[in-house]
Amino acid sequence: WDETHFGKMGSYYINRTFFFDVHPPLGKMLIGLAGYLSGYDGTFPFQKPGDRYEHHNYMGMRGVRLYRLVSSCLALLCSSVQMLELSKSLPAALLTAFILIFDTGCITLSQYILLDPILMFFLMGAVLSMVKCNSCADRPFSASWWFWLSLTGVNLAGAMGVKFVGLFVVLLVGLNTIYDLWDLLGNLSLSLVMFGKHLLARVLCLILLPLALYTAVFAVHFTVLNRSGPGDGFFSSAFQSQLIGNNLHNVSVPE
């Protein structure tokens, strides 16, 4: 059923038809982009689970381009880099890779049009970036430190932009940041000016950057979906007047 739902959302983006859904738009936009790049024309109705795709080119949305790439990146991120960084043990990293590659749940999720593989990619990316940033603690404000701190913020925005469950990784990174700042505050050799720089850097990369990117995702969402669709009724008359094909299109709506 979920593949039917999110496949339809991807079709809405390809047809630029406005809709309303409970999840943030990033994951569904990526699904639509995968379908568009693979030649899918957005005409399959996605009415009920089990319907045959027939001549419709659904493979780009379902598993060839996006999902298997994401699943491969998951194994790479978690095993060869993240686990190696955390445990400093090559056998532990290889075991983690083995468990992920042959996990039935991951294999199944990667075959269908779902948000979960994309969400897992950003979750793993956020944790990896946080761990790599912590490893650069002895080189604060270096190029690598700024890179991993900024990438953490980008992945946080990605996780929140796919599903609100991504807020849990925001909590994890937030607790790690509080612990890090508390440790810096207790360092008597560090001046208050330098501590303020550390604080501002984290506010910039872990709060302002994710919020800006999260807002930008919605800006793209509303720009792309400029045609009347099943989601019109959830919004104001003034908003509906901007949708092509709506009865109120280009009608002057008094405040």
Side-chain angles (χ1 to χ4, degrees):
W1 187 89
D2 277 352
E3 181 179 57
T4 302
H5 177 70
F6 294 119
K8 183 179 292 186
M9 302 298 105
S11 298
Y12 284 149
Y13 279 106
I14 293 174
N15 296 318
R16 306 192 69 172
T17 303
F18 188 77
F19 67 94
F20 178 79
D21 190 53
V22 296
H23 298 295
L26 178 59
K28 292 165 290 187
M29 282 198 293
L30 292 176
I31 289 173
L33 179 62
Y36 176 77
L37 294 177
S38 60
Y40 170 60
D41 57 6
T43 57
F44 185 72
F46 285 102
Q47 291 181 346
K48 63 181 185 297
D51 286 347
R52 294 186 179 275
Y53 288 101
E54 301 296 344
H55 64 281
H56 295 279
N57 187 3
Y58 66 95
M59 292 303 293
M61 298 172 68
R62 201 178 199 193
V64 174
R65 292 177 182 268
L66 180 64
Y67 294 100
R68 292 183 184 174
L69 173 64
V70 169
S71 299
S72 301
C73 289
L74 278 175
L76 176 65
L77 285 174
C78 188
S79 62
S80 63
V81 182
Q82 185 172 308
M83 281 303 298
L84 196 60
E85 189 70 38
L86 287 170
S87 65
K88 307 299 181 183
S89 171
L90 182 59
L94 293 175
L95 176 62
T96 306
F98 179 85
I99 292 173
L100 273 176
I101 291 171
F102 295 100
D103 179 78
T104 305
C106 288
I107 294 172
T108 303
L109 286 175
S110 66
Q111 295 183 57
Y112 297 102
I113 305 172
L114 300 172
L115 299 181
D116 302 88
I118 308 173
L119 173 66
M120 291 169 65
F121 173 79
F122 284 115
L123 293 177
M124 288 290 186
V127 177
L128 169 65
S129 303
M130 180 188 72
V131 170
K132 293 294 290 182
C133 185
N134 289 341
S135 68
C136 298
D138 57 336
R139 305 185 305 275
F141 306 109
S142 62
S144 58
W145 185 86
W146 277 112
F147 172 78
W148 289 115
L149 188 64
S150 301
L151 191 59
T152 304
V154 171
N155 283 307
L156 291 180
M160 289 189 300
V162 175
K163 276 188 175 182
F164 289 123
V165 179
L167 288 170
F168 283 105
V169 79
V170 175
L171 177 63
L172 173 65
V173 173
L175 291 174
N176 176 79
T177 303
I178 291 171
Y179 175 83
D180 189 29
L181 289 173
W182 181 257
D183 188 55
L184 289 172
L185 188 61
N187 185 356
L188 299 180
S189 64
L190 194 70
S191 67
L192 286 178
V193 173
M194 186 58 66
F195 175 79
K197 291 181 179 180
H198 277 278
L199 178 61
L200 287 175
R202 285 158 177 79
V203 169
L204 175 64
C205 295
L206 301 181
I207 298 179
L208 297 182
L209 177 60
L211 286 177
L213 293 176
Y214 184 75
T215 306
V217 167
F218 278 91
V220 174
H221 168 78
F222 287 115
T223 301
V224 172
L225 303 182
N226 63 350
R227 299 182 182 276
S228 179
D232 296 13
F234 292 96
F235 289 80
S236 67
S237 299
F239 179 82
Q240 293 181 44
S241 69
Q242 303 173 26
L243 298 174
I244 299 172
N246 189 283
N247 293 331
L248 299 175
H249 181 54
N250 282 338
V251 174
S252 177
V253 182
E255 292 294 332

